[in-house]
C-alpha cells in the first residue's frame, strides 16, 4: 500500500425527511444563497422543503446552473453573492450545481481572474462555506473537494480541487431522486462505476481493503443500477445507489492506491466539443481505454474479471476480453451507448480532441503517466 493522508470533513445527513435538519446545519444568522439548476427542484418539491427548513433566515435563489456548469453563468452568481452580502451557499441539485457552487465559493474570495483556478490551477486559499442537498446520485461531488467547470466561449472543460472546497455538510435524501428521468439515473450509475474503476483498475499494491471495498461498490452498482431503472420508487434501491455513488468518490477507496483518470480526461474533451453528457463520454471511452491498455492493467483486469464478474474460465486473455465485454454490456443494459457512432459522432473529430488534450497539457495521463497523445488517439479510434 502507498503512503497517504485521508481527511474528509463533510458531514453526511442521510435518509428520508432529512432536509428538515438544514436548520441545525446552517448558522442562524447566515445570509444564504440557494444555488440550483434549470427547475427540477421546483417541480419535485425539494425547493419548498429547503425554504421551509431555512425558516427566518435571509435567503436568495440563483437558478440556471446548467449541466456541465459554465464559467459564464457562475460568474453571474458570484456578482449576486457579492451584491447581497451572502455568507453561506446552499447547492440544491446534482453534480453540476454542487461543482458550480464550489467554484462560486472559491471565486467570491479569489484575488485576480477566477478562470485561472481552472486554466492555471491557481491556488484557492479561501472559500465561502457551503452545504449541499443532493438530488442526483452520480458524481460524489457532495463529499469531495473537486469540481469540473466549462468555458463556453473557449470550448474548455477543466477540473479543479482544493482543501477549501469540501461541502460543510450534504443532505442525501433518496426520495429526492424519484423524479429523475431514466437517462440521469443511467448516467449516475455509469459515472459512479467509472469513478471506482479509475481508482481500482490500475496495478496491484496489496491494498486489500481498498480493493475489496471497490469490488463491493462495483457489484452493488451492477445490482441496483438496473433495479433503479425498473423500480423508480423503490426506496431501498435508491438509498443503496445514493450511498454507493458517494463512497465511490469521497477519497476512501482512492487512499493508498494508484489512480488513473485518463478515461475522465478524454471524456471531458468529448463533452466540451460535442456536448454529450459526462457519463455518456465515460461509457464510450472506458471499454476502449481498457482494451488499448490491457497489458499494463493485466493483473488488475484479471482480478476484476474474477471478483466482479465471476469470470473464471478460459485463458488469461479470454478472461480479460470477457471482463471488458461485460463492462460494455452493463453500460448498454443501462441504456448508455458505448461507441462514438451511437451519438452520430464517429471518428471525424479525433484530430480536434487530440489537439485539445495537448492544449490542456494532458500528454502523460494514467497511473504510469504513459497515456501519451498517441495512446489517446488509439483509444478514441477504438471507440468509434
Ligand atoms: O437543472 P435541473 O433542472 O436541476 O435538472 C438536472 C439536469 O438537467 C436534472 N436533475 C437533477 N436532479 C434531478 C433532476 N431532474 C429531476 N429530478 C431530480 N431529482 O439532471 C440533469 C443533470 O444534472 P447534472 O447535475 O448535470 O448531473 P450530474 O450529477 O451527473 O453532474 C454532472 C457534472 O458533474 C461533473 C461532470 O463533469 C458534470 O459536469 N463531475 C463532477 C465530479 C466531482 N465533482 O467530483 C466528478 C465527476 O467525474 C464529474 O466530472
Ligand atoms: Zn465522473
Amino acid at each position: 500500500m502507498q503512503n497517504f493522508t485521508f481527511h474528509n470533513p463533510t458531514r453526511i445527513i442521510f435518509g428520508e425527511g432529512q432536509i428538515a435538519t438544514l436548520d441545525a446545519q446552517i448558522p442562524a444568522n447566515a445570509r444564504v444563497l440557494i444555488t440550483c439548476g434549470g427547475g427540477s427542484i421546483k417541480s419535485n418539491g425539494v425547493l419548498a422543503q429547503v425554504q421551509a427548513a431555512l425558516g427566518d433566515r435571509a435567503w436568495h435563489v440563483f437558478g440556471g446552473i446548467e449541466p456541465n456548469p459554465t464559467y459564464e453563468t457562475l460568474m453571474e452568481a458570484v456578482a449576486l453573492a457579492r451584491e447581497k452580502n451572502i455568507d453561506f451557499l446552499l447547492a440544491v441539485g446534482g453534480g453540476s450545481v454542487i461543482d458550480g457552487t464550489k467554484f462560486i465559493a472559491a471565486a467570491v474570495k479569489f484575488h485576480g481572474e477566477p478562470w485561472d483556478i481552472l486554466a492555471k490551477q491557481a491556488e484557492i486559499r479561501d472559500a465561502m462555506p457551503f452545504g449541499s442537498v443532493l438530488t442526483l446520485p452520480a458524481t460524489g461531488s457532495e463529499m469531495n473537494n473537486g469540481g469540473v467547470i466549462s468555458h463556453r466561449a473557449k470550448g474548455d472543460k477543466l477540473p479543479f480541487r482544493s482543501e477549501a472546497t469540501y461541502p460543510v455538510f450534504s443532505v442525501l435524501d433518496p426520495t429526492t431522486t424519484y423524479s429523475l428521468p431514466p437517462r440521469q439515473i443511467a448516467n449516475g450509475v455509469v459515472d459512479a462505476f467509472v469513478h471506482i474503476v479509475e481508482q481500482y483498475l490500475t496495478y496491484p499494491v496489496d491494498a486489500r481493503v481498498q480493493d475489496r471495498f471497490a469490488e463491493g461498490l462495483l457489484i452493488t452498482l451492477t445490482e441496483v443500477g438496473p433495479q433503479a431503472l425498473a423500480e423508480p420508487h423503490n426506496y431501498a434501491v435508491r438509498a443503496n445507489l445514493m450511498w454507493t455513488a458517494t463512497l465511490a468518490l469521497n477519497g476512501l477507496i482512492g487512499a493508498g492506491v494508484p489512480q488513473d483518470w485518463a478515461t475522465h480526461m478524454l471524456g471531458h474533451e468529448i463533452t466540451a466539443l460535442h456536448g454529450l453528457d459526462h457519463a455518456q463520454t465515460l461509457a464510450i471511452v472506458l471499454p476502449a481505454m481498457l482494451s488499448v491498455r490491457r497489458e499494463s492493467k493485466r493483473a488488475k483486469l484479471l482480478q476484476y474479471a474474477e471478483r466482479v464478474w465471476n469470470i473464471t474460465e478460459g485463458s488469461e486473455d479470454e478472461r480479460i476480453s470477457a471482463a471488458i465485454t461485460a463492462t460494455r454490456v452493463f453500460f448498454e443494459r443501462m441504456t448508455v451507448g458505448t461507441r462514438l457512432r451511437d451519438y452520430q459522432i464517429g471518428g471525424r473529430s479525433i484530430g480536434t480532441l487530440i489537439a485539445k488534450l495537448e492544449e490542456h497539457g494532458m500528454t502523460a495521463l494514467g497511473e504510469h503517466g504513459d497515456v501519451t497523445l498517441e495512446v489517446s488517439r488509439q483509444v478514441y479510434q477504438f471507440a468509434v
Side-chain angles (χ1 to χ4, degrees), residues 191 195 264 278 282:
D191 192 20
H195 292 159
H264 269 70
H278 172 62
L282 304 177

Side-chain angles (χ1 to χ4, degrees), residues 68-326:
N68 308 305
T70 66
Y71 175 73
E72 288 91 337
T73 300
L74 300 172
M75 288 309 289
E76 290 175 30
V78 170
L80 183 68
R82 288 190 177 131
E83 181 196 322
K84 303 288 183 193
N85 284 321
I86 297 298
D87 51 24
F88 199 95
L89 302 171
L90 182 60
V92 186
S96 293
V97 171
I98 303 175
D99 280 13
T101 303
K102 290 175 181 174
F103 183 76
I104 297 164
V108 165
K109 304 246 178 177
F110 192 76
H111 299 288
E113 165 56 62
W115 182 246
D116 288 351
I117 293 170
L118 288 308
K120 299 184 182 165
Q121 296 290 299
E123 190 191 349
I124 298 169
R125 296 212 171 88
D126 194 11
M128 190 181 284
F130 68 97
S132 88
V133 176
L134 179 69
T135 64
L136 199 177
T139 63
S141 188
E142 66 278 7
M143 200 180 177
N144 69 38
N145 64 355
V148 193
I149 306 300
S150 298
H151 196 301
R152 218 180 297 139
K154 295 182 196 288
D156 289 340
K157 178 171 181 177
L158 295 170
F160 74 99
R161 62 195 309 166
S162 159
E163 286 299 313
T165 51
Y166 280 99
V168 177
F169 66 82
S170 287
V171 176
L172 278 57
D173 178 343
T175 67
T176 64
T177 74
Y178 289 171
S179 57
L180 279 164
R183 169 171 154 188
Q184 298 303 341
I185 283 289
N187 279 348
V189 170
V190 170
D191 192 20
F193 194 95
V194 179
H195 292 159
I196 302 161
V197 167
E198 299 269 32
Q199 300 164 88
Y200 162 74
L201 228 169
T202 57
Y203 56 88
V205 291
D206 199 5
R208 299 181 201 191
V209 77
Q210 291 92 324
D211 277 7
R212 290 191 171 109
F213 207 153
E215 288 152 0
L217 295 173
L218 290 170
I219 291 166
T220 304
L221 287 175
T222 66
E223 291 171 3
V224 298
Q227 288 172 334
L229 284 180
E231 304 167 46
H233 289 82
N234 185 324
Y235 180 83
V237 166
R238 292 295 165 110
N240 279 291
L241 173 56
M242 206 168 205
W243 188 223
T244 303
T246 301
L247 289 169
L249 196 51
N250 71 347
L252 190 60
I253 63 168
V257 297
Q259 301 194 16
D260 185 341
W261 298 106
T263 294
H264 269 70
M265 296 310 129
L266 269 63
H268 289 169
E269 300 300 354
I270 301 175
T271 295
L273 195 60
H274 295 289
L276 264 56
D277 294 347
H278 172 62
Q280 292 172 334
T281 71
L282 304 177
I284 293 167
V285 176
L286 183 70
M289 184 70 77
L290 296 179
S291 301
V292 169
R293 294 167 64 201
R294 55 190 288 154
E295 283 315 317
S296 68
K297 289 181 179 290
R298 173 170 282 269
K300 270 311 201 38
L301 275 166
L302 286 165
Q303 182 178 324
Y304 170 68
E306 179 175 349
R307 296 202 198 167
V308 176
W309 297 110
N310 250 330
I311 297 166
T312 53
E313 309 271 300
S315 67
E316 286 191 3
D317 281 320
E318 285 166 350
R319 279 179 271 151
I320 288 171
S321 296
I324 296 171
T325 300

Side-chain angles (χ1 to χ4, degrees), residues 266 269-270 273-274 340 345-360 362-363 373-374 376-382 384:
L266 269 63
E269 300 300 354
I270 301 175
L273 195 60
H274 295 289
L340 282 166
I345 294 176
R348 67 187 148 87
S349 58
I350 291 177
T352 314
L353 292 167
I354 295 295
K356 275 291 186 184
L357 280 174
E358 185 168 24
E359 179 188 328
H360 296 145
M362 308 285 177
T363 55
L373 292 178
E374 187 42 42
S376 294
R377 184 185 298 279
Q378 287 171 29
V379 172
Y380 283 134
Q381 273 161 352
F382 201 97
V384 169

